[in-house]
Every structure is written in structure tokens, then in C-alpha cells.
């Protein structure tokens, strides 16, 4: 019978041969799922022998991961800014840099009583994290995709959030009111990049990724419109593509925004534009 450690080593090399990055960490997550324990708990039971009842379902999961199905879809969950969210093909898999955006917003807007709008909410991780961190605030989350909205509703329920409102809108077309903060991680990938997509990316909804030839189509519509939905002194906070900072800055200037700052992500990429309504 194989031990936990031998199983991890075997699975990691299987995944590595199939070109999976971070193969060992992936393998540990899969085994932890089958054993219904945390990844850390695996380390205290390396010598535990594993029975076929564990190994058979594990082989199924390994096969899926080896075929390029994203780890987050296999686990059905993703950790984001300290909370676990349901994650499947109905929304974009939350990216680690987006957690940085949430962190920056919480620093920039320490007030408690905010009217917040998350446009293109996807799985809901940004707006719902803000709602959880600021229980006295009210957060409206909108998306054009009914699938995404269903996923956001499940995530809101999972975290017992009552200070949120979730409804369908194509950008601002159904939005009413004015806000202290509008946040958006809209699709910003150029369509030409579809050809060079990794296997994992092909599991994200196309609608959540691409936005015209240069990836800027939605941002060009969204930024000028956002100005009209902000209260005086309100903030816009965005996530954008790695080479879009100068175009987005120009668009923000032309739309009347002040105090424009494009904050860098941990890799040093100008990723998160912040701008204020006069
Ligand atoms: N950051 C994502 C990626 O590069 C794209 C997310 C988005 O378009 N908002 O895959």
C-alpha cells in the first residue's frame, strides 16, 4: 500500500510530466480534497497508508487536472482575500492580483458607510469581500451574465451577506443611484490572445476575458459612463491589462477624473487605476 508521501510524490511527477505548473502543490490540494482534510494536515500524516477507496477517486481527479481542468474547478472553491468562494465555469476564476485590488480599496476608503457598485461582478469575489469587510456599507453587484449572477448569489448566501443587492445589468444600463465607490474588473484581454491561451484559461467564460481587438472596448465605454454614477469625491477603482495603463489614464483624464493613480501589482505591473470624481 502506498503512503501519503509516496502518493504525493507519484502524483506530483504525473502532473509535472503533463506540464502542470506547481505540480506538487496541486497534488497536495487534490489529496486533501479526497481525504477531506487541509493541505497542512497532510504533513502530519506522511506515513499513513492509503486504501484503494482513497486512491480510486484521487486517480479521477489527477486525470482531470492532467488534462488541464483548472484546480479551482476541480476543488469547486477558491480562497480569496481570506474567504472561500464557490468557483466553477459560470465565472472567471479569481486571480491572486485581484486580491491586491481589494486590499488597496480597503486602505484607500477606510470609511464604513459606503454605497458601493461592482460592475461585471463575475463570481462576486470583489464586491462580496468588500461587503463582508464593511458590514455597514451597501454593495450592489451587477453582471451581464445570468450564470455569473447565480454564482454570485450562491457566494453571497455562503457568507451570509445581507448588505448586498445582485442584479443583471449590461455595464450601467440598469443601474440607478450614485456611489462612493465603483469597482470593476472587466474583461480586458485582446481577442488576438485567444489563440495563445493556456489550457486552463480556456475554462474561463470567453465573455469574462475578451474585449475587442486591443482589450479596451469595454473600458472605453465604461470609464466615461462611470463618472456620471459617482458622488462628488467618489472613487473609481479598476483592474486592467499589463499594457493598458497609458490608454486608461488618458481615458480617465478625458472623462473628467482627478487624482488619477495607477497602482502597481506585486509583479510591478501598473494594474490598478484609482481615480476620483471632482
Ligand atoms: N487577469 C486575467 C487574465 O489575464 C484576465 C481577467 C480579465 O479580463 N479581467 O487571464
Amino acid at each position: 500500500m502506498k503512503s501519503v508521501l509516496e502518493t504525493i510524490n507519484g502524483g506530483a511527477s504525473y502532473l509535472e510530466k503533463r506540464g502542470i505548473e506547481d505540480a506538487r502543490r496541486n497534488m497536495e490540494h487534490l489529496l486533501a480534497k479526497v481525504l477531506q482534510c487541509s493541505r497542512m494536515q497532510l504533513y502530519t500524516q506522511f506515513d499513513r497508508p492509503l486504501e484503494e477507496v482513497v486512491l480510486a477517486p484521487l486517480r479521477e481527479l489527477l486525470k482531470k487536472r492532467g488534462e488541464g481542468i483548472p484546480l479551482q474547478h476541480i476543488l469547486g472553491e477558491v480562497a480569496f482575500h481570506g474567504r472561500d468562494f464557490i468557483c466553477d465555469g459560470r465565472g472567471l476564476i479569481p486571480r491572486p492580483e485581484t486580491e491586491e485590488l481589494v486590499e488597496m480599496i480597503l486602505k484607500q476608503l477606510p470609511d464604513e458607510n459606503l454605497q458601493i457598485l461592482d460592475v461585471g461582478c463575475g463570481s462576486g469575489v470583489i464586491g462580496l469581500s468588500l461587503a463582508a469587510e464593511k458590514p455597514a456599507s451597501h454593495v450592489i453587484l451587477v453582471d451581464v451574465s445570468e450564470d455569473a449572477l447565480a454564482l454570485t448569489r450562491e457566494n453571497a448566501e455562503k457568507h451570509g451577506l445581507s448588505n448586498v443587492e445582485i442584479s443583471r445589468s449590461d455595464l450601467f444600463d440598469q443601474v440607478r443611484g450614485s456611489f462612493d465607490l465603483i469597482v470593476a474588473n472587466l474583461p480586458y484581454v485582446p481577442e488576438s490572445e485567444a489563440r495563445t491561451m493556456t489550457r486552463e484559461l480556456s475554462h474561463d467564460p470567453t465573455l469574462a476575458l475578451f474585449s475587442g481587438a486591443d482589450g479596451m472596448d469595454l473600458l472605453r465605454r465604461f470609464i466615461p459612463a462611470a463618472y456620471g454614477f459617482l458622488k462628488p469625491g467618489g472613487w473609481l477603482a479598476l483592474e486592467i491589462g499589463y499594457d493598458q495603463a497609458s490608454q486608461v489614464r488618458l481615458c480617465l483624464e478625458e472623462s473628467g477624473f482627478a487624482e488619477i493613480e495607477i497602482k502597481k501589482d506585486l509583479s510591478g505591473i501598473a494594474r490598478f487605476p484609482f481615480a476620483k470624481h471632482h
Side-chain angles (χ1 to χ4, degrees), residues 92 95 97 185-189 201 204 208-210 239 271:
L92 184 89
R95 310 290 203 261
E97 57 268 29
N185 173 15
L186 294 173
Y188 56 66
V189 179
L201 264 184
D204 280 316
L209 284 173
F210 301 109
E239 179 180 320
R271 177 73 75 189

Side-chain angles (χ1 to χ4, degrees), residues 39-171:
R39 222 179 113 215
M40 291 307 146
Q41 283 166 336
L42 294 176
Y43 298 157
T44 62
Q45 42 182 330
F46 274 159
D47 296 328
R48 170 176 166 187
L50 293 176
E51 319 264 349
E52 188 55 24
V53 289
V54 171
L55 295 174
L58 181 64
R59 275 193 290 272
E60 287 304 307
L61 300 188
L62 261 173
K63 188 163 166 273
K64 285 188 185 169
R65 187 65 194 99
E67 287 164 359
I69 297 182
L71 180 67
Q72 298 90 333
H73 284 185
I74 297 172
L75 301 177
E77 266 193 357
V78 63
F80 185 91
H81 201 261
R83 291 180 181 78
D84 287 334
F85 289 88
I86 303 162
C87 177
D88 58 35
R90 290 175 293 173
L92 184 89
I93 296 172
R95 310 290 203 261
E97 57 268 29
T98 308
E99 296 178 281
E100 296 174 52
L101 174 62
V102 168
E103 203 50 51
M104 288 170 184
I105 291 171
L106 292 171
K107 265 206 200 108
Q108 183 99 9
L109 289 127
D111 319 354
E112 287 305 323
N113 229 317
L114 300 173
Q115 291 293 320
I116 299 174
L117 174 68
D118 177 354
V119 181
C121 61
S123 58
V125 289
I126 301 176
L128 297 179
S129 297
L130 294 173
E133 297 288 330
K134 291 185 177 292
S137 294
H138 184 73
V139 185
I140 297 181
L141 300 96
V142 298
D143 203 291
V144 70
S145 153
E146 290 290 357
D147 273 353
L149 293 169
L151 183 54
T152 294
R153 283 194 190 99
E154 286 169 30
N155 274 320
E157 199 163 312
K158 178 178 166 76
H159 293 288
L161 297 169
S162 52
N163 55 336
V164 299
E165 206 177 304
I166 298 157
S167 64
R168 187 177 179 282
S169 179
D170 183 357
L171 298 185

Side-chain angles (χ1 to χ4, degrees), residues 188-212:
Y188 56 66
V189 179
E191 256 144 30
S192 56
E193 283 181 26
R195 288 192 299 275
T196 53
M197 242 174 12
T198 64
R199 283 185 302 179
E200 278 77 1
L201 264 184
S202 69
H203 292 268
D204 280 316
T206 317
L207 187 67
L209 284 173
F210 301 109
S211 187

Side-chain angles (χ1 to χ4, degrees), residues 154-265:
E154 286 169 30
N155 274 320
E157 199 163 312
K158 178 178 166 76
H159 293 288
L161 297 169
S162 52
N163 55 336
V164 299
E165 206 177 304
I166 298 157
S167 64
R168 187 177 179 282
S169 179
D170 183 357
L171 298 185
F172 291 99
D173 72 355
Q174 303 297 317
V175 174
R176 301 290 171 266
S178 55
F179 299 87
D180 301 292
L181 168 71
I182 298 177
V183 58
N185 173 15
L186 294 173
Y188 56 66
V189 179
E191 256 144 30
S192 56
E193 283 181 26
R195 288 192 299 275
T196 53
M197 242 174 12
T198 64
R199 283 185 302 179
E200 278 77 1
L201 264 184
S202 69
H203 292 268
D204 280 316
T206 317
L207 187 67
L209 284 173
F210 301 109
S211 187
D214 62 355
M216 286 282 302
D217 277 13
L218 280 170
L219 285 164
R220 270 191 293 262
R221 271 172 61 201
F222 173 81
I223 291 172
Y227 196 82
F229 284 89
L230 281 168
K231 296 182 189 172
W235 284 91
L236 178 65
L238 304 171
E239 179 180 320
I240 58 168
Y242 69 96
D243 59 353
Q244 294 169 341
S246 52
Q247 293 179 78
V248 168
R249 179 182 288 280
L250 194 67
C251 191
L252 286 164
E253 282 166 4
E254 286 172 356
S255 307
F257 282 96
E259 295 187 40
I260 300 166
E261 185 191 354
I262 310 207
K263 298 179 196 275
K264 291 192 170 136
D265 67 16

